[in-house]
Amino acid sequence: MKKDGNSSSSSSKSAPALKGVKNESKLPFWVEILFVQIGLPDNWLRTFLKSRKRTKALISENKKTLQLIFIILLATVYIDPVIKNARLQGQCVEGAKQYLKSNNLIKSNYKNNEIELALALRFCSGGEL
């Protein structure tokens, strides 16, 4: 009977020791590298962790608003090249029309805006005058 008592007491002694090892958490790799290996100040870590906590709270509170902002930003980035191309095409057409008017390059008897526009568009699209 004594053996049973000793075995239970030895297992109870080893259990708390193992329990402490299990509860011991490992540091994230970036904390290990930056603050342990390199030796950055501890107050930077505290500041970073507080900012991270506040940022997570802000994101969770304003999730719908942030999603809407992201969609608007994505749409703007998607549409911007189309708008830029249209603006540059319009500038090219206006410049070509002015060049046609100043050099009298329209050989048609009908010097109307449609012919000037057609020739300007042809020039801006890579054609010849």
Side-chain angles (χ1 to χ4, degrees):
M1 288 192 135
K2 232 179 189 187
K3 285 183 181 179
D4 291 338
N6 289 340
S7 64
S8 66
S9 64
S10 65
S11 65
S12 65
K13 288 180 183 178
S14 63
L18 291 176
K19 210 178 219 183
V21 172
K22 287 181 183 177
N23 288 342
E24 192 175 302
S25 62
K26 290 187 174 183
L27 293 174
F29 74 94
W30 58 272
V31 173
E32 177 73 31
I33 292 171
L34 293 175
F35 295 97
V36 176
Q37 298 297 325
I38 296 176
L40 294 177
D42 291 339
N43 60 353
W44 289 7
L45 178 61
R46 286 186 212 107
T47 304
F48 176 76
L49 293 175
K50 285 179 187 177
S51 299
R52 184 174 164 190
K53 184 178 178 182
R54 278 188 251 129
T55 303
K56 283 184 178 181
L58 179 72
I59 289 172
S60 66
E61 290 172 2
N62 300 319
K63 200 169 201 173
K64 295 287 184 185
T65 306
L66 292 173
Q67 287 175 345
L68 182 64
I69 289 171
F70 179 73
I71 290 172
I72 291 171
L73 183 65
L74 188 66
T76 303
V77 168
Y78 180 75
I79 293 174
D80 184 54
V82 175
I83 294 170
K84 190 179 215 178
N85 186 24
R87 181 176 48 85
L88 292 175
Q89 183 73 16
Q91 289 175 350
C92 178
V93 168
E94 288 301 316
K97 281 172 69 174
Q98 288 176 358
Y99 179 75
L100 289 171
K101 285 180 184 178
S102 66
N103 293 333
N104 294 325
L105 294 176
I106 299 177
K107 297 177 183 176
S108 171
N109 293 334
Y110 307 104
K111 283 191 172 183
N112 61 10
N113 287 337
E114 290 178 6
I115 294 175
E116 287 177 6
L117 181 62
L119 288 173
L121 281 172
R122 185 173 116 190
F123 175 73
C124 290
S125 298
E128 296 179 5
L129 288 177

